[in-house]
């Protein structure tokens, strides 16, 4: 099953109860492939994904995620992380192969210089802002393939780092429960455009 972007956006809900059906790995990889098409400044792509399917790991994650019920209910939970240190250390991977050599060289020199002047915390926050773009793409990709999701922000990041052996600099912008809905969820309740839009 697949749907248009418009339909995916209009039918997406935050779901907390899921059908106990496994998600084929090819569907998970397609979700992540689509999400990873998201733009990022300088094409740095600091986002990394941990796909949690093992029942014991999910049980431990449930505890680290303030016992959110959707972590236990969903067949798959994705931990969205951001690793700017890894991204900068492998900056060549981000540079488009068709770019002229002088452009490639400029990026190789400029990106480490710009981020080298920042603290690890500042780099981490920049990476989180970029990774929030991929989060939006991921939620729509999930729905477009006929699945449902619930992004979560209430969790213990240090406990998750320990659980999945992540370095201290790695940021965790969100965790996302994924599966087929076993409830309808709430309908959209959003501000009207005149409340949030200003034309000048």
């Amino acid at each position: 099953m697949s749907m248009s972007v418009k339909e995916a956006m209009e039918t997406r809900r935050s779901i907390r109860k899921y059908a106990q059906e496994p998600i084929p790995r090819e569907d998970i990889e397609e979700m992540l492939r689509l999400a990873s098409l998201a733009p990022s400044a300088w094409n740095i792509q600091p986002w990394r994904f941990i796909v949690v399917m093992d029942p014991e790991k999910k049980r431990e994650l449930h505890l680290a995620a303030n016992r959110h019920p959707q972590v236990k209910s969903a067949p798959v939970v994705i931990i969205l992380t951001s690793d700017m240190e890894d991204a900068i250390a492998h900056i060549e991977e981000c540079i488009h192969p068709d770019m002229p050599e002088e452009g490639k060289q400029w990026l190789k020199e400029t990106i480490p210089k710009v981020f080298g002047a920042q603290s690890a915390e500042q780099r981490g926050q920049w990476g989180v802002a970029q990774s929030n773009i991929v989060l939006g793409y991921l939620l729509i990709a999930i729905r477009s393939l006929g699945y449902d999701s619930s992004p979560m922000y209430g969790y213990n990041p240090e406990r998750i780092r320990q659980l999945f052996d992540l370095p201290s600099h790695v940021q965790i912008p969100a965790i996302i429960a994924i599966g087929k809905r076993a409830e309808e969820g709430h309908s959209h309740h959003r501000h009207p455009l005149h409340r949030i839009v200003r034309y000048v």
Side-chain angles (χ1 to χ4, degrees):
M1 174 182 177
S2 63
M3 58 184 75
S4 69
V5 172
K6 182 178 185 293
E7 186 180 1
M9 296 177 87
E10 290 179 338
T11 63
R12 202 208 74 79
R13 303 285 186 271
S14 287
I15 299 297
R16 292 166 177 79
K17 294 181 182 177
Y18 293 88
Q20 299 307 298
E21 301 174 11
I23 302 178
R25 183 161 179 165
E26 56 267 27
D27 286 356
I28 297 170
E29 294 194 346
E30 180 64 0
M31 295 170 192
L32 296 174
R33 185 191 72 81
L34 291 170
S36 68
L37 296 174
S40 66
W42 282 328
N43 203 37
I44 288 179
Q45 307 166 73
W47 46 75
R48 308 288 185 265
F49 304 96
I50 301 172
V51 182
V52 185
M53 304 171 72
D54 177 75
E56 179 58 26
K57 282 292 187 186
K58 272 212 301 151
R59 186 190 70 78
E60 294 176 325
L61 180 58
H62 175 247
L63 297 176
N66 298 336
R67 301 178 188 269
H68 284 304
Q70 54 267 49
V71 175
K72 282 181 76 172
S73 178
V76 172
V77 181
I78 291 179
I79 303 171
L80 170 61
T81 72
S82 176
D83 191 341
M84 279 295 292
E85 307 309 304
D86 179 64
I88 293 169
H90 299 90
I91 202 64
E92 301 85 3
E93 297 176 359
C94 306
I95 298 173
H96 199 289
D98 293 340
M99 181 176 284
E101 286 304 318
E102 58 271 23
K104 293 179 182 178
Q105 190 58 39
W106 184 85
L107 287 174
K108 288 178 185 178
E109 294 172 0
T110 302
I111 291 175
K113 187 185 301 182
V114 169
F115 289 106
Q118 299 179 358
S119 67
E121 182 179 357
Q122 289 172 319
R123 290 192 293 272
Q125 289 307 307
W126 190 91
V128 167
Q130 298 296 304
S131 297
N132 281 328
I133 302 172
V134 87
L135 173 60
Y137 269 56
L138 177 59
L139 296 177
I140 300 307
I142 291 166
R143 184 64 191 138
S144 76
L145 294 174
Y147 295 95
D148 297 286
S149 64
S150 177
M152 291 163 276
Y153 305 96
Y155 45 81
N156 183 326
E158 189 52 46
R159 201 164 169 186
I160 291 176
R161 288 188 190 98
Q162 293 172 357
L163 182 58
F164 295 95
D165 195 28
L166 299 172
S168 60
H169 67 264
V170 170
Q171 301 296 310
I172 306 169
I175 58 178
I176 306 100
I178 303 172
K180 296 275 190 177
R181 66 179 68 178
E183 63 175 9
E184 279 308 303
H186 296 294
S187 61
H188 290 146
H189 175 65
R190 297 293 187 268
H191 290 303
L193 287 183
H194 68 79
R195 176 73 175 83
I196 60 173
V197 178
R198 179 184 179 194
Y199 292 96
V200 295

mmCIF file of all heavy atoms in Angstrom, residues 96-142:
data_model
loop_
_atom_site.group_PDB
_atom_site.id
_atom_site.type_symbol
_atom_site.label_atom_id
_atom_site.label_comp_id
_atom_site.label_asym_id
_atom_site.label_seq_id
_atom_site.Cartn_x
_atom_site.Cartn_y
_atom_site.Cartn_z
ATOM 1 N N HIS A 96 29.120 15.750 -2.867
ATOM 2 C CA HIS A 96 28.599 15.159 -4.102
ATOM 3 C C HIS A 96 29.754 14.850 -5.064
ATOM 4 O O HIS A 96 30.611 15.699 -5.303
ATOM 5 C CB HIS A 96 27.615 16.122 -4.768
ATOM 6 C CG HIS A 96 26.724 15.456 -5.754
ATOM 7 N ND1 HIS A 96 27.172 14.995 -6.979
ATOM 8 C CD2 HIS A 96 25.412 15.137 -5.693
ATOM 9 C CE1 HIS A 96 26.181 14.440 -7.635
ATOM 10 N NE2 HIS A 96 25.089 14.513 -6.889
ATOM 11 N N PRO A 97 29.765 13.648 -5.625
ATOM 12 C CA PRO A 97 30.880 13.271 -6.518
ATOM 13 C C PRO A 97 30.961 14.117 -7.779
ATOM 14 O O PRO A 97 32.036 14.221 -8.388
ATOM 15 C CB PRO A 97 30.598 11.799 -6.843
ATOM 16 C CG PRO A 97 29.150 11.595 -6.544
ATOM 17 C CD PRO A 97 28.826 12.532 -5.419
ATOM 18 N N ASP A 98 29.839 14.729 -8.190
ATOM 19 C CA ASP A 98 29.849 15.542 -9.412
ATOM 20 C C ASP A 98 30.272 16.985 -9.171
ATOM 21 O O ASP A 98 30.354 17.775 -10.117
ATOM 22 C CB ASP A 98 28.460 15.527 -10.069
ATOM 23 C CG ASP A 98 28.088 14.150 -10.601
ATOM 24 O OD1 ASP A 98 29.011 13.334 -10.805
ATOM 25 O OD2 ASP A 98 26.890 13.893 -10.800
ATOM 26 N N MET A 99 30.543 17.331 -7.929
ATOM 27 C CA MET A 99 30.954 18.701 -7.621
ATOM 28 C C MET A 99 32.348 18.961 -8.189
ATOM 29 O O MET A 99 33.217 18.078 -8.154
ATOM 30 C CB MET A 99 30.962 18.908 -6.098
ATOM 31 C CG MET A 99 31.362 20.303 -5.654
ATOM 32 S SD MET A 99 31.233 20.486 -3.845
ATOM 33 C CE MET A 99 29.464 20.616 -3.672
ATOM 34 N N PRO A 100 32.595 20.165 -8.708
ATOM 35 C CA PRO A 100 33.949 20.480 -9.191
ATOM 36 C C PRO A 100 34.981 20.324 -8.070
ATOM 37 O O PRO A 100 34.669 20.510 -6.890
ATOM 38 C CB PRO A 100 33.831 21.943 -9.623
ATOM 39 C CG PRO A 100 32.375 22.148 -9.883
ATOM 40 C CD PRO A 100 31.650 21.258 -8.930
ATOM 41 N N GLU A 101 36.211 20.000 -8.443
ATOM 42 C CA GLU A 101 37.251 19.726 -7.451
ATOM 43 C C GLU A 101 37.486 20.890 -6.502
ATOM 44 O O GLU A 101 37.718 20.697 -5.320
ATOM 45 C CB GLU A 101 38.561 19.340 -8.156
ATOM 46 C CG GLU A 101 38.560 17.957 -8.750
ATOM 47 C CD GLU A 101 38.230 16.868 -7.737
ATOM 48 O OE1 GLU A 101 38.739 16.933 -6.601
ATOM 49 O OE2 GLU A 101 37.458 15.955 -8.079
ATOM 50 N N GLU A 102 37.404 22.126 -7.045
ATOM 51 C CA GLU A 102 37.633 23.272 -6.161
ATOM 52 C C GLU A 102 36.526 23.395 -5.108
ATOM 53 O O GLU A 102 36.772 23.797 -3.968
ATOM 54 C CB GLU A 102 37.752 24.578 -6.961
ATOM 55 C CG GLU A 102 36.566 24.943 -7.829
ATOM 56 C CD GLU A 102 36.644 24.377 -9.241
ATOM 57 O OE1 GLU A 102 37.358 23.372 -9.442
ATOM 58 O OE2 GLU A 102 35.994 24.968 -10.131
ATOM 59 N N GLY A 103 35.306 23.020 -5.493
ATOM 60 C CA GLY A 103 34.200 23.028 -4.538
ATOM 61 C C GLY A 103 34.373 21.963 -3.469
ATOM 62 O O GLY A 103 34.119 22.208 -2.289
ATOM 63 N N LYS A 104 34.807 20.788 -3.900
ATOM 64 C CA LYS A 104 35.074 19.714 -2.935
ATOM 65 C C LYS A 104 36.137 20.140 -1.935
ATOM 66 O O LYS A 104 36.000 19.930 -0.715
ATOM 67 C CB LYS A 104 35.528 18.446 -3.661
ATOM 68 C CG LYS A 104 34.469 17.793 -4.518
ATOM 69 C CD LYS A 104 35.051 16.559 -5.209
ATOM 70 C CE LYS A 104 34.049 15.905 -6.125
ATOM 71 N NZ LYS A 104 34.620 14.738 -6.830
ATOM 72 N N GLN A 105 37.201 20.724 -2.431
ATOM 73 C CA GLN A 105 38.293 21.141 -1.561
ATOM 74 C C GLN A 105 37.838 22.221 -0.586
ATOM 75 O O GLN A 105 38.210 22.217 0.585
ATOM 76 C CB GLN A 105 39.474 21.645 -2.402
ATOM 77 C CG GLN A 105 40.750 21.879 -1.603
ATOM 78 C CD GLN A 105 41.223 20.623 -0.886
ATOM 79 O OE1 GLN A 105 41.145 19.508 -1.425
ATOM 80 N NE2 GLN A 105 41.702 20.783 0.345
ATOM 81 N N TRP A 106 37.017 23.143 -1.072
ATOM 82 C CA TRP A 106 36.507 24.211 -0.207
ATOM 83 C C TRP A 106 35.705 23.636 0.949
ATOM 84 O O TRP A 106 35.864 24.049 2.101
ATOM 85 C CB TRP A 106 35.643 25.174 -1.029
ATOM 86 C CG TRP A 106 35.163 26.352 -0.230
ATOM 87 C CD1 TRP A 106 35.815 27.529 0.008
ATOM 88 C CD2 TRP A 106 33.904 26.455 0.449
ATOM 89 N NE1 TRP A 106 35.059 28.345 0.797
ATOM 90 C CE2 TRP A 106 33.871 27.723 1.087
ATOM 91 C CE3 TRP A 106 32.802 25.601 0.588
ATOM 92 C CZ2 TRP A 106 32.773 28.156 1.837
ATOM 93 C CZ3 TRP A 106 31.709 26.026 1.339
ATOM 94 C CH2 TRP A 106 31.701 27.285 1.949
ATOM 95 N N LEU A 107 34.847 22.665 0.654
ATOM 96 C CA LEU A 107 34.049 22.043 1.713
ATOM 97 C C LEU A 107 34.927 21.286 2.707
ATOM 98 O O LEU A 107 34.714 21.359 3.917
ATOM 99 C CB LEU A 107 33.013 21.096 1.105
ATOM 100 C CG LEU A 107 31.821 21.756 0.407
ATOM 101 C CD1 LEU A 107 30.968 20.705 -0.277
ATOM 102 C CD2 LEU A 107 30.983 22.548 1.400
ATOM 103 N N LYS A 108 35.919 20.558 2.192
ATOM 104 C CA LYS A 108 36.808 19.799 3.078
ATOM 105 C C LYS A 108 37.548 20.711 4.042
ATOM 106 O O LYS A 108 37.871 20.313 5.174
ATOM 107 C CB LYS A 108 37.816 18.990 2.243
ATOM 108 C CG LYS A 108 37.210 17.811 1.512
ATOM 109 C CD LYS A 108 38.272 17.102 0.672
ATOM 110 C CE LYS A 108 37.674 15.999 -0.177
ATOM 111 N NZ LYS A 108 38.699 15.347 -1.039
ATOM 112 N N GLU A 109 37.836 21.925 3.611
ATOM 113 C CA GLU A 109 38.550 22.863 4.474
ATOM 114 C C GLU A 109 37.597 23.674 5.362
ATOM 115 O O GLU A 109 37.900 23.932 6.525
ATOM 116 C CB GLU A 109 39.379 23.822 3.612
ATOM 117 C CG GLU A 109 40.514 23.145 2.859
ATOM 118 C CD GLU A 109 41.185 24.068 1.866
ATOM 119 O OE1 GLU A 109 40.761 25.247 1.769
ATOM 120 O OE2 GLU A 109 42.121 23.610 1.179
ATOM 121 N N THR A 110 36.462 24.056 4.791
ATOM 122 C CA THR A 110 35.570 24.994 5.482
ATOM 123 C C THR A 110 34.749 24.328 6.581
ATOM 124 O O THR A 110 34.615 24.885 7.685
ATOM 125 C CB THR A 110 34.634 25.670 4.471
ATOM 126 O OG1 THR A 110 35.425 26.348 3.492
ATOM 127 C CG2 THR A 110 33.717 26.667 5.163
ATOM 128 N N ILE A 111 34.194 23.166 6.303
ATOM 129 C CA ILE A 111 33.302 22.538 7.290
ATOM 130 C C ILE A 111 34.035 22.222 8.593
ATOM 131 O O ILE A 111 33.561 22.594 9.678
ATOM 132 C CB ILE A 111 32.626 21.290 6.686
ATOM 133 C CG1 ILE A 111 31.636 21.734 5.594
ATOM 134 C CG2 ILE A 111 31.896 20.486 7.757
ATOM 135 C CD1 ILE A 111 30.994 20.611 4.827
ATOM 136 N N PRO A 112 35.210 21.576 8.567
ATOM 137 C CA PRO A 112 35.920 21.342 9.835
ATOM 138 C C PRO A 112 36.303 22.647 10.535
ATOM 139 O O PRO A 112 36.299 22.722 11.770
ATOM 140 C CB PRO A 112 37.162 20.553 9.413
ATOM 141 C CG PRO A 112 36.792 19.920 8.115
ATOM 142 C CD PRO A 112 35.888 20.916 7.437
ATOM 143 N N LYS A 113 36.629 23.685 9.748
ATOM 144 C CA LYS A 113 37.010 24.971 10.344
ATOM 145 C C LYS A 113 35.822 25.596 11.074
ATOM 146 O O LYS A 113 35.941 26.056 12.215
ATOM 147 C CB LYS A 113 37.514 25.916 9.257
ATOM 148 C CG LYS A 113 38.085 27.221 9.791
ATOM 149 C CD LYS A 113 38.447 28.167 8.647
ATOM 150 C CE LYS A 113 39.483 27.543 7.710
ATOM 151 N NZ LYS A 113 39.869 28.474 6.613
ATOM 152 N N VAL A 114 34.658 25.613 10.437
ATOM 153 C CA VAL A 114 33.468 26.218 11.037
ATOM 154 C C VAL A 114 33.063 25.466 12.307
ATOM 155 O O VAL A 114 32.846 26.068 13.362
ATOM 156 C CB VAL A 114 32.303 26.243 10.032
ATOM 157 C CG1 VAL A 114 30.991 26.610 10.722
ATOM 158 C CG2 VAL A 114 32.595 27.230 8.908
ATOM 159 N N PHE A 115 32.956 24.150 12.211
ATOM 160 C CA PHE A 115 32.497 23.383 13.371
ATOM 161 C C PHE A 115 33.593 23.203 14.410
ATOM 162 O O PHE A 115 33.309 23.007 15.591
ATOM 163 C CB PHE A 115 31.919 22.044 12.918
ATOM 164 C CG PHE A 115 30.605 22.185 12.221
ATOM 165 C CD1 PHE A 115 30.504 22.023 10.847
ATOM 166 C CD2 PHE A 115 29.461 22.512 12.926
ATOM 167 C CE1 PHE A 115 29.292 22.176 10.197
ATOM 168 C CE2 PHE A 115 28.236 22.667 12.293
ATOM 169 C CZ PHE A 115 28.155 22.498 10.917
ATOM 170 N N GLY A 116 34.848 23.270 13.976
ATOM 171 C CA GLY A 116 35.949 23.176 14.932
ATOM 172 C C GLY A 116 35.994 24.348 15.888
ATOM 173 O O GLY A 116 36.544 24.243 16.994
ATOM 174 N N ALA A 117 35.412 25.473 15.485
ATOM 175 C CA ALA A 117 35.361 26.653 16.351
ATOM 176 C C ALA A 117 34.226 26.564 17.367
ATOM 177 O O ALA A 117 34.100 27.432 18.230
ATOM 178 C CB ALA A 117 35.198 27.914 15.503
ATOM 179 N N GLN A 118 33.406 25.534 17.264
ATOM 180 C CA GLN A 118 32.279 25.359 18.182
ATOM 181 C C GLN A 118 32.600 24.288 19.219
ATOM 182 O O GLN A 118 33.471 23.443 19.022
ATOM 183 C CB GLN A 118 31.028 24.953 17.405
ATOM 184 C CG GLN A 118 30.558 25.961 16.391
ATOM 185 C CD GLN A 118 29.335 25.482 15.635
ATOM 186 O OE1 GLN A 118 28.850 24.369 15.843
ATOM 187 N NE2 GLN A 118 28.823 26.312 14.739
ATOM 188 N N SER A 119 31.846 24.311 20.303
ATOM 189 C CA SER A 119 31.954 23.242 21.300
ATOM 190 C C SER A 119 31.193 22.018 20.794
ATOM 191 O O SER A 119 30.355 22.118 19.885
ATOM 192 C CB SER A 119 31.359 23.691 22.628
ATOM 193 O OG SER A 119 29.958 23.872 22.507
ATOM 194 N N ALA A 120 31.452 20.864 21.390
ATOM 195 C CA ALA A 120 30.721 19.646 21.019
ATOM 196 C C ALA A 120 29.230 19.831 21.262
ATOM 197 O O ALA A 120 28.392 19.330 20.498
ATOM 198 C CB ALA A 120 31.256 18.450 21.809
ATOM 199 N N GLU A 121 28.895 20.575 22.307
ATOM 200 C CA GLU A 121 27.474 20.828 22.606
ATOM 201 C C GLU A 121 26.829 21.668 21.514
ATOM 202 O O GLU A 121 25.706 21.380 21.081
ATOM 203 C CB GLU A 121 27.343 21.534 23.950
ATOM 204 C CG GLU A 121 25.890 21.775 24.355
ATOM 205 C CD GLU A 121 25.757 22.447 25.709
ATOM 206 O OE1 GLU A 121 26.794 22.667 26.367
ATOM 207 O OE2 GLU A 121 24.616 22.751 26.094
ATOM 208 N N GLN A 122 27.531 22.689 21.041
ATOM 209 C CA GLN A 122 26.989 23.517 19.959
ATOM 210 C C GLN A 122 26.828 22.720 18.675
ATOM 211 O O GLN A 122 25.817 22.839 17.974
ATOM 212 C CB GLN A 122 27.903 24.723 19.720
ATOM 213 C CG GLN A 122 27.858 25.765 20.819
ATOM 214 C CD GLN A 122 28.911 26.841 20.636
ATOM 215 O OE1 GLN A 122 30.060 26.559 20.272
ATOM 216 N NE2 GLN A 122 28.528 28.087 20.880
ATOM 217 N N ARG A 123 27.829 21.902 18.355
ATOM 218 C CA ARG A 123 27.723 21.048 17.168
ATOM 219 C C ARG A 123 26.545 20.086 17.321
ATOM 220 O O ARG A 123 25.804 19.834 16.366
ATOM 221 C CB ARG A 123 29.016 20.257 16.954
ATOM 222 C CG ARG A 123 30.195 21.100 16.520
ATOM 223 C CD ARG A 123 31.354 20.247 16.055
ATOM 224 N NE ARG A 123 31.962 19.463 17.126
ATOM 225 C CZ ARG A 123 32.946 19.890 17.914
ATOM 226 N NH1 ARG A 123 33.437 21.110 17.759
ATOM 227 N NH2 ARG A 123 33.458 19.108 18.853
ATOM 228 N N GLY A 124 26.390 19.565 18.522
ATOM 229 C CA GLY A 124 25.298 18.629 18.777
ATOM 230 C C GLY A 124 23.946 19.268 18.562
ATOM 231 O O GLY A 124 23.041 18.663 17.952
ATOM 232 N N GLN A 125 23.759 20.497 19.040
ATOM 233 C CA GLN A 125 22.478 21.181 18.869
ATOM 234 C C GLN A 125 22.212 21.497 17.403
ATOM 235 O O GLN A 125 21.072 21.432 16.936
ATOM 236 C CB GLN A 125 22.448 22.453 19.713
ATOM 237 C CG GLN A 125 22.353 22.186 21.205
ATOM 238 C CD GLN A 125 21.182 21.270 21.561
ATOM 239 O OE1 GLN A 125 20.042 21.530 21.182
ATOM 240 N NE2 GLN A 125 21.472 20.180 22.251
ATOM 241 N N TRP A 126 23.263 21.849 16.660
ATOM 242 C CA TRP A 126 23.110 22.086 15.221
ATOM 243 C C TRP A 126 22.644 20.799 14.539
ATOM 244 O O TRP A 126 21.750 20.816 13.685
ATOM 245 C CB TRP A 126 24.436 22.559 14.636
ATOM 246 C CG TRP A 126 24.359 23.051 13.225
ATOM 247 C CD1 TRP A 126 24.134 24.327 12.801
ATOM 248 C CD2 TRP A 126 24.517 22.256 12.030
ATOM 249 N NE1 TRP A 126 24.147 24.377 11.426
ATOM 250 C CE2 TRP A 126 24.372 23.129 10.920
ATOM 251 C CE3 TRP A 126 24.761 20.906 11.796
ATOM 252 C CZ2 TRP A 126 24.469 22.691 9.606
ATOM 253 C CZ3 TRP A 126 24.852 20.456 10.479
ATOM 254 C CH2 TRP A 126 24.707 21.345 9.401
ATOM 255 N N GLY A 127 23.235 19.676 14.930
ATOM 256 C CA GLY A 127 22.849 18.394 14.349
ATOM 257 C C GLY A 127 21.418 18.015 14.676
ATOM 258 O O GLY A 127 20.712 17.439 13.838
ATOM 259 N N VAL A 128 20.962 18.341 15.884
ATOM 260 C CA VAL A 128 19.574 18.057 16.260
ATOM 261 C C VAL A 128 18.616 18.843 15.367
ATOM 262 O O VAL A 128 17.608 18.312 14.897
ATOM 263 C CB VAL A 128 19.334 18.382 17.744
ATOM 264 C CG1 VAL A 128 17.838 18.403 18.069
ATOM 265 C CG2 VAL A 128 20.032 17.367 18.635
ATOM 266 N N ALA A 129 18.935 20.121 15.135
ATOM 267 C CA ALA A 129 18.075 20.936 14.266
ATOM 268 C C ALA A 129 17.978 20.323 12.871
ATOM 269 O O ALA A 129 16.893 20.284 12.267
ATOM 270 C CB ALA A 129 18.617 22.365 14.188
ATOM 271 N N GLN A 130 19.083 19.840 12.334
ATOM 272 C CA GLN A 130 19.071 19.191 11.026
ATOM 273 C C GLN A 130 18.282 17.880 11.072
ATOM 274 O O GLN A 130 17.524 17.558 10.146
ATOM 275 C CB GLN A 130 20.504 18.915 10.563
ATOM 276 C CG GLN A 130 21.353 20.156 10.379
ATOM 277 C CD GLN A 130 20.833 21.063 9.278
ATOM 278 O OE1 GLN A 130 20.667 20.631 8.146
ATOM 279 N NE2 GLN A 130 20.552 22.310 9.620
ATOM 280 N N SER A 131 18.444 17.127 12.151
ATOM 281 C CA SER A 131 17.789 15.819 12.260
ATOM 282 C C SER A 131 16.284 15.945 12.442
ATOM 283 O O SER A 131 15.536 15.019 12.114
ATOM 284 C CB SER A 131 18.404 15.026 13.416
ATOM 285 O OG SER A 131 19.774 14.768 13.155
ATOM 286 N N ASN A 132 15.817 17.082 12.949
ATOM 287 C CA ASN A 132 14.376 17.292 13.035
ATOM 288 C C ASN A 132 13.741 17.376 11.650
ATOM 289 O O ASN A 132 12.546 17.085 11.493
ATOM 290 C CB ASN A 132 14.071 18.550 13.848
ATOM 291 C CG ASN A 132 14.181 18.298 15.336
ATOM 292 O OD1 ASN A 132 13.903 17.205 15.816
ATOM 293 N ND2 ASN A 132 14.580 19.308 16.079
ATOM 294 N N ILE A 133 14.530 17.756 10.647
ATOM 295 C CA ILE A 133 14.007 17.756 9.275
ATOM 296 C C ILE A 133 13.761 16.312 8.826
ATOM 297 O O ILE A 133 12.704 15.989 8.267
ATOM 298 C CB ILE A 133 14.980 18.464 8.316
ATOM 299 C CG1 ILE A 133 15.235 19.902 8.772
ATOM 300 C CG2 ILE A 133 14.436 18.440 6.879
ATOM 301 C CD1 ILE A 133 16.341 20.614 7.994
ATOM 302 N N VAL A 134 14.715 15.436 9.087
ATOM 303 C CA VAL A 134 14.550 14.042 8.672
ATOM 304 C C VAL A 134 13.413 13.378 9.453
ATOM 305 O O VAL A 134 12.735 12.488 8.934
ATOM 306 C CB VAL A 134 15.873 13.241 8.818
ATOM 307 C CG1 VAL A 134 16.056 12.645 10.194
ATOM 308 C CG2 VAL A 134 15.948 12.124 7.784
ATOM 309 N N LEU A 135 13.170 13.825 10.675
ATOM 310 C CA LEU A 135 12.053 13.281 11.452
ATOM 311 C C LEU A 135 10.730 13.545 10.742
ATOM 312 O O LEU A 135 9.893 12.638 10.611
ATOM 313 C CB LEU A 135 12.046 13.893 12.854
ATOM 314 C CG LEU A 135 10.837 13.547 13.729
ATOM 315 C CD1 LEU A 135 10.719 12.041 13.947
ATOM 316 C CD2 LEU A 135 10.911 14.288 15.054
ATOM 317 N N GLY A 136 10.537 14.778 10.267
ATOM 318 C CA GLY A 136 9.307 15.084 9.537
ATOM 319 C C GLY A 136 9.155 14.226 8.290
ATOM 320 O O GLY A 136 8.060 13.700 8.008
ATOM 321 N N TYR A 137 10.252 14.074 7.556
ATOM 322 C CA TYR A 137 10.215 13.207 6.368
ATOM 323 C C TYR A 137 9.854 11.770 6.759
ATOM 324 O O TYR A 137 9.070 11.100 6.071
ATOM 325 C CB TYR A 137 11.574 13.219 5.678
ATOM 326 C CG TYR A 137 11.742 14.264 4.613
ATOM 327 C CD1 TYR A 137 11.546 15.613 4.877
ATOM 328 C CD2 TYR A 137 12.134 13.911 3.317
ATOM 329 C CE1 TYR A 137 11.726 16.574 3.893
ATOM 330 C CE2 TYR A 137 12.312 14.872 2.330
ATOM 331 C CZ TYR A 137 12.106 16.197 2.621
ATOM 332 O OH TYR A 137 12.281 17.135 1.639
ATOM 333 N N LEU A 138 10.438 11.287 7.846
ATOM 334 C CA LEU A 138 10.213 9.897 8.259
ATOM 335 C C LEU A 138 8.745 9.657 8.605
ATOM 336 O O LEU A 138 8.164 8.636 8.208
ATOM 337 C CB LEU A 138 11.112 9.555 9.451
ATOM 338 C CG LEU A 138 10.942 8.147 10.035
ATOM 339 C CD1 LEU A 138 11.220 7.077 8.987
ATOM 340 C CD2 LEU A 138 11.855 7.957 11.243
ATOM 341 N N LEU A 139 8.128 10.575 9.322
ATOM 342 C CA LEU A 139 6.733 10.388 9.725
ATOM 343 C C LEU A 139 5.812 10.296 8.503
ATOM 344 O O LEU A 139 4.883 9.481 8.477
ATOM 345 C CB LEU A 139 6.294 11.529 10.635
ATOM 346 C CG LEU A 139 7.019 11.637 11.979
ATOM 347 C CD1 LEU A 139 6.530 12.852 12.752
ATOM 348 C CD2 LEU A 139 6.875 10.370 12.803
ATOM 349 N N ILE A 140 6.095 11.104 7.484
ATOM 350 C CA ILE A 140 5.280 11.050 6.272
ATOM 351 C C ILE A 140 5.598 9.798 5.456
ATOM 352 O O ILE A 140 4.699 9.171 4.877
ATOM 353 C CB ILE A 140 5.476 12.324 5.426
ATOM 354 C CG1 ILE A 140 5.072 13.562 6.234
ATOM 355 C CG2 ILE A 140 4.654 12.254 4.140
ATOM 356 C CD1 ILE A 140 3.690 13.507 6.842
ATOM 357 N N ALA A 141 6.866 9.401 5.421
ATOM 358 C CA ALA A 141 7.240 8.170 4.704
ATOM 359 C C ALA A 141 6.559 6.955 5.330
ATOM 360 O O ALA A 141 6.058 6.076 4.614
ATOM 361 C CB ALA A 141 8.751 7.999 4.720
ATOM 362 N N ILE A 142 6.533 6.907 6.653
ATOM 363 C CA ILE A 142 5.879 5.794 7.355
ATOM 364 C C ILE A 142 4.419 5.700 6.948
ATOM 365 O O ILE A 142 3.914 4.631 6.586
ATOM 366 C CB ILE A 142 6.021 5.972 8.877
ATOM 367 C CG1 ILE A 142 7.475 5.770 9.316
ATOM 368 C CG2 ILE A 142 5.095 5.008 9.627
ATOM 369 C CD1 ILE A 142 7.774 6.254 10.726
#
